[in-house]
Amino acid sequence: MVSANGLATAQPLFSFGLISDVQYADIPDGRSFLGVPRYYRHSILVLQRAVKEWNTHQKHKFVINFGDIVDGFCPKDQSLNTVKKVVDDFEMFRGPVYHMIGNHCLYNLPRSTLLPLLKIQTLDCRAYYDFSLVAEYRFVVLDAYDISAIGWPQDHPRTVEALKLLREKNPNEDKNSPTNLEGTERRFLMFNGGVGKEQMEWFDCVLKEATKLKQKVVVCCHLPLDPGAATEEALLWNYEEVMNLIHRYTCVKVCLAGHDHKGGYSVDSHGVHHRVLEAALECPPGTDAFGNVDVYDDRISLVGTGRMESTDMQFNPNVNLHDKMS
């Protein structure tokens, strides 16, 4: 059966909920560096309303949180309890909740403390993993701060590598300032990060396996992977390397991200959809920003609530699931 707009009206294979950049803190409202209002206390109410709605959807198999659950301005003596409070609210969802880390999470707590709280179970404090709850789809959660100047001990090789890159790419004394950086070079800021070599190798293996199993893949990352969907200052440091790998395969259909609070959407040159999610933090009292996602064989449909835009992501019918490299 086909609807008036030409889309199949079959029931979705499954559904899930999503939200990004809650950045809760028990502090007065403030503004971003660019002057955008931020509602630190209200954001947890957005999450609570989201969980209540997600629990009414019987086909919701899971929820994904796209990072930054607490804000960097959260008083440090409150960080641990604040993270626990927000995680507890996520746990009110009647099903699995998958978290990823963002820069604001790492401003508050080191990885060694943060990852167990978020139930991210990986070796050596790495925060990347994948999961598949239905045979047709696989979800990959990338660790955007694998190479990072925040979150790791100061003498850690990943911190050293990140600081070296920032010195080479950003001449400003303040490494969070993009002054005089042009175009996508503006991404080389301390509040961003990159995907390291070991993670890239792991990701390659995951995409190989998904191709073999004829699974469609949804990539989830706190930092955006396409300049068409986000401001240059928000991009993953090595987004081009990650996308070059993704484009070697045809299994990746959608890349979802947070971090760039205003949201965005693009379809890249290989037909991959990129959707950056609007932040819960920037919802004035009484408004919301979260999503319900219906997953079909031929598309993924984000049904946004409040300030989160709805987006129907139809897959290119000319792209099959065979590895282009084969």
Side-chain angles (χ1 to χ4, degrees):
M1 183 176 176
V2 175
S3 65
N5 63 5
L7 297 176
T9 55
Q11 287 295 306
L13 298 172
F14 65 96
S15 302
F16 65 94
L18 51 72
I19 194 167
S20 190
D21 297 271
V22 174
Q23 288 182 225
Y24 170 68
D26 187 12
I27 57 175
D29 294 344
R31 292 181 180 271
S32 73
F33 178 73
L34 298 174
V36 179
R38 293 183 163 182
Y39 305 94
Y40 298 108
R41 290 186 174 123
H42 177 255
S43 64
I44 200 165
L45 302 181
V46 177
L47 171 61
Q48 290 166 356
R49 289 193 291 265
V51 171
K52 187 175 180 181
E53 181 170 323
W54 292 331
N55 279 330
T56 68
H57 290 264
Q58 293 185 342
K59 287 185 78 74
H60 274 21
K61 280 196 168 291
F62 56 87
V63 160
I64 306 182
N65 156 42
F66 280 78
D68 281 359
I69 62 173
V70 294
D71 193 81
F73 284 127
C74 176
K76 295 302 166 276
D77 61 343
Q78 297 176 23
S79 292
L80 183 60
N81 285 335
T82 301
V83 170
K84 286 179 177 177
K85 177 181 174 67
V86 183
V87 169
D88 285 347
D89 278 336
F90 271 106
E91 293 294 317
M92 296 303 290
F93 173 69
R94 294 194 288 267
V97 178
Y98 295 97
H99 294 280
M100 67 195 77
I101 55 174
N103 52 307
H104 284 265
C105 306
L106 297 172
Y107 296 149
N108 279 276
L109 295 172
R111 283 172 175 261
S112 55
T113 305
L114 185 64
L115 298 192
L117 291 173
L118 299 177
K119 298 191 168 115
I120 299 175
Q121 298 175 334
T122 60
L123 295 171
D124 302 326
C125 287
R126 297 166 187 163
Y128 53 88
Y129 59 95
D130 67 303
F131 64 94
S132 178
L133 302 185
V134 298
E136 299 95 329
Y137 274 86
R138 182 177 297 212
F139 288 76
V140 177
V141 176
L142 296 179
D143 181 351
Y145 293 87
D146 188 10
I147 306 300
S148 170
I150 50 176
W152 298 106
Q154 277 304 300
D155 59 349
H156 196 285
R158 288 181 172 85
T159 308
V160 173
E161 184 179 344
L163 291 172
K164 180 175 181 288
L165 181 68
L166 285 169
R167 282 194 300 270
E168 290 170 358
K169 296 290 189 179
N170 187 335
N172 297 308
E173 186 175 345
D174 177 5
K175 299 303 181 188
N176 273 326
S177 170
T179 302
N180 297 323
L181 297 177
E182 297 294 332
T184 55
E185 294 294 296
R186 294 172 69 83
R187 71 189 185 275
F188 291 108
L189 304 171
M190 192 176 278
F191 59 66
N192 295 331
V195 170
K197 182 174 181 288
E198 289 175 357
Q199 187 177 176
M200 288 294 293
E201 291 169 353
W202 167 85
F203 189 26
D204 191 17
C205 289
V206 170
L207 296 183
K208 275 194 180 78
E209 185 180 347
T211 298
K212 184 178 176 183
L213 296 173
K214 297 190 170 160
Q215 291 176 315
K216 298 176 179 72
V217 175
V218 178
V219 174
C220 304
C221 184
H222 181 67
L223 297 178
L225 301 174
D226 185 64
T231 56
E232 289 114 343
E233 293 90 343
L235 294 166
L236 184 81
W237 285 343
N238 59 332
Y239 77 89
E240 292 167 303
E241 182 184 7
V242 172
M243 288 312 304
N244 284 340
L245 175 59
I246 286 173
H247 290 156
R248 285 175 48 202
Y249 298 89
T250 56
C251 54
V252 178
K253 301 301 178 185
V254 175
C255 295
L256 301 173
H259 193 57
D260 194 4
H261 291 184
K262 71 181 188 310
Y265 173 63
S266 66
V267 182
D268 70 26
S269 59
H270 287 65
V272 177
H273 297 263
H274 295 262
R275 182 66 172 85
V276 179
L277 305 170
E278 291 82 0
L281 174 66
E282 293 184 359
C283 292
T287 66
D288 290 311
F290 60 87
N292 300 293
V293 183
D294 293 326
V295 180
Y296 302 84
D297 187 59
D298 63 342
R299 73 190 193 278
I300 287 179
S301 183
L302 167 59
V303 182
T305 299
R307 293 164 63 87
M308 186 169 287
E309 297 282 341
S310 295
T311 312
D312 202 79
M313 293 168 271
Q314 187 86 26
F315 306 152
N316 185 342
N318 298 319
V319 175
N320 61 34
L321 284 175
H322 293 295
D323 184 359
K324 291 176 185 172
M325 301 296 286
S326 62

